[in-house]
Amino acid sequence: MYKQIIDTIKKYDKIIIHRHKNPDLDALGSQLGLREIIKDNFRDKEVYAVGDMNDFTFLGSMDIIDEDIYKDALVIVTDVAVSYLVSDERYKLGAYIMIIDHHLNSSDFGDYQHIDSSFISCAQIIADMAEVNNLVVSKNAATALLGGIITDSGRFLYPSTSAKTLRNAAFLMDNGASMNYIYDNLYVESLNFKKLKGHFINNFKTTKNKVAYMKNDDAIKEQFGVSTFTISRGMVNQMSGIKGIPIWVNFTLDDDGYIQTEIRSKTISVVEVAKKYGGGGHKLACGCTLANWADTDKVLKDLDSLLE
Ligand SMILES: [Mn+2]
């Protein structure tokens, strides 16, 4: 298993690993975990990880590299399969591009795609690949990969968390992964962030059939001094876990004037609605980008009618 990935890694002397913009812990965990695994198992390779960074620096840091390193290099892209979401456009300069992802989206780039949506996180795919190929996994690599599994599984709470998810996590623990280190970093937050959560809990609205939603313009970003991403992805689940609310949506105006839309659902598939508006993702966690506020009402109407 994973023969094509391993064979491709063996073929190249230089490997540069990319992942999606605004990285979550799975994007970073899969990227940094893979960087360490390649370094430890294929010692003659030069391996780099590149992309934009945010607050998740506790997993590791990015490499700053020149464009000429891409010459004859293998580019591996983790946790994303659509080109416009890839962080650092130079990925296109690679001699060969290989994608490792677990999202449902069909891919629009790359020379080889390993996409398996039966995995809850991309880091889990990397862990599984390491295990079945008897690769050395250092403590740091194991912790980075475990971080991806913990967060993409919602701390092992999402319904798609399976025995296999736990087995792959156990493999990482056997290799020294520190679960405490991940949780210690995940559960600390600033006072400002806590207040932002309070703002969400106190102000979200619901439709006729109890789709919860928030519409966030620039005022909230200014009030709390946070990014679009912190509001959009970071706050959507403040509306989760509420009795009688099966679907929740977060609309956030971004810096380019578009409305970033994050849709979540407890059991009913909502990805078709995201796809209808040009987006995608998972059945119960997906998103799209809207051009104007009028479209947010259309999305709400479509989601509301799923509950008729
Ligand atoms: Mn992921």
Side-chain angles (χ1 to χ4, degrees), residues 41-297:
N41 292 275
F42 306 95
R43 291 187 170 265
D44 51 334
K45 315 277 180 202
E46 282 176 50
V47 202
Y48 305 99
V50 299
D52 58 325
M53 258 320 237
N54 51 26
D55 291 345
F56 293 136
T57 46
F58 63 89
L59 273 196
S61 56
M62 294 294 111
D63 299 304
I64 310 295
I65 59 168
D66 286 334
E67 206 169 290
D68 46 291
I69 296 198
Y70 283 84
K71 192 177 181 302
D72 303 323
L74 165 65
V75 165
I76 303 176
V77 179
T78 66
D79 201 35
V80 64
V82 285
S83 53
Y84 80 100
L85 292 175
V86 179
S87 183
D88 195 335
E89 288 220 328
R90 296 179 299 172
Y91 75 89
K92 295 171 187 160
L93 302 173
Y96 190 86
I97 302 174
M98 183 159 73
I99 294 167
I100 304 174
D101 189 26
H102 71 119
H103 291 93
L104 287 170
N105 311 59
S106 46
S107 180
D108 65 348
F109 75 108
D111 300 299
Y112 176 72
Q113 289 96 3
H114 179 98
I115 299 176
D116 190 343
S117 61
S118 73
F119 282 77
I120 208 162
S121 85
C122 187
Q124 190 196 350
I125 299 178
I126 310 287
D128 197 55
M129 177 181 83
E131 185 173 10
V132 302
N133 287 283
N134 292 312
L135 299 178
V136 171
V137 179
S138 70
K139 184 178 161 54
N140 283 346
T143 299
L145 293 171
L146 187 64
I149 296 177
I150 284 175
T151 48
D152 264 28
S153 67
R155 324 287 199 256
F156 301 115
L157 288 173
Y158 294 158
S160 46
T161 302
S162 64
K164 177 140 180 72
T165 313
L166 297 176
R167 256 183 241 121
N168 288 126
F171 165 75
L172 297 171
M173 300 281 283
D174 281 341
N175 282 278
S178 172
M179 191 179 269
N180 286 342
Y181 181 73
I182 300 292
Y183 281 125
D184 283 349
N185 280 285
L186 286 178
Y187 283 103
V188 177
E189 57 194 11
S190 67
L191 179 61
N192 190 46
F193 197 71
K194 201 79 177 174
K195 287 189 172 171
L196 173 61
K197 285 180 170 179
H199 175 85
F200 259 73
I201 292 163
N202 284 303
N203 290 291
F204 73 80
K205 296 186 169 59
T206 54
T207 63
K208 182 171 59 127
N209 291 316
K210 296 287 183 268
V211 174
Y213 66 94
M214 274 289 271
K215 294 187 180 185
N216 312 295
D217 57 17
D218 284 339
I220 182 170
K221 278 191 268 179
E222 283 158 23
Q223 186 186 344
F224 291 94
V226 291
S227 66
T228 302
F229 185 71
T230 300
I231 301 274
S232 175
R233 279 278 194 103
M235 287 297 127
V236 61
N237 280 330
Q238 292 308 310
M239 296 176 278
S240 74
I242 303 168
K243 255 185 205 170
I245 293 183
I247 296 173
W248 54 103
V249 202
N250 199 16
F251 301 105
T252 310
L253 184 66
D254 71 18
D255 297 337
D256 300 318
Y258 291 99
I259 297 157
Q260 297 298 330
T261 302
E262 292 292 338
I263 309 171
R264 302 290 183 271
S265 169
K266 188 156 173 56
T267 51
I268 302 158
S269 177
V270 285
V271 71
E272 291 310 320
V273 175
K275 282 184 180 166
K276 180 178 168 185
Y277 295 90
H282 306 286
K283 276 183 195 160
L284 305 180
C286 51
C288 56
T289 302
L290 303 174
N292 53 61
W293 289 110
D295 283 352
T296 65
D297 291 325

